[in-house]
Amino acid sequence: MSPIDYLFLFAGMGLVTYLPRALPLLYLAHKQMPQWLVDWLGLIPVAILSALLAPILLADQTTRSFVFGKTELLVAIPTLIFALKTRSLGGTVLVGMLLYWLAGIII
């Protein structure tokens, strides 16, 4: 491939990535959405985070079964409590890393 082909390839990939995100934003920017839709869209980040975290915290990857004593779950519970009490993102990350490190040493 020539350098101009790579340039067209990168430009095409950029358009394919950017347009699906920009078009709905531009279309909905000046429209009033119903409140039920706004509420429903507000739940999407929580659902995505739950879908990403649940298998890591609750399932054993080799046997694909539920395990409630995993190190990740045991660390996540006090980290969640710290996050809810302090509302500090940086502190929560530090506490979670510290607890995971300590759990790796102890367990």
Side-chain angles (χ1 to χ4, degrees):
M1 288 179 67
S2 69
I4 194 77
D5 291 337
Y6 282 111
L7 182 64
F8 283 127
L9 179 66
F10 289 148
M13 288 189 304
L15 280 174
V16 168
T17 301
Y18 182 71
L19 283 178
R21 297 173 188 197
L23 289 178
L25 182 65
L26 293 173
Y27 177 73
L28 295 173
H30 302 291
K31 295 196 182 270
Q32 184 68 27
M33 291 189 291
Q35 188 59 39
W36 65 268
L37 181 60
V38 173
D39 293 341
W40 183 78
L41 289 172
L43 297 175
I44 291 176
V46 175
I48 291 172
L49 185 62
S50 300
L52 290 172
L53 288 179
I56 294 169
L57 296 178
L58 299 173
D60 184 19
Q61 301 300 325
T62 56
T63 61
R64 295 184 184 238
S65 60
F66 285 113
V67 177
F68 291 107
K70 288 185 65 175
T71 305
E72 289 86 355
L73 180 63
L74 297 176
V75 169
I77 293 170
T79 304
L80 176 66
I81 293 169
F82 179 84
L84 292 175
K85 286 190 177 204
T86 64
R87 304 281 183 187
S88 168
L89 179 62
T92 301
V93 170
L94 289 175
V95 166
M97 289 172 51
L98 177 68
L99 290 175
Y100 193 74
W101 176 71
L102 287 174
I105 291 174
I106 295 171
I107 297 177

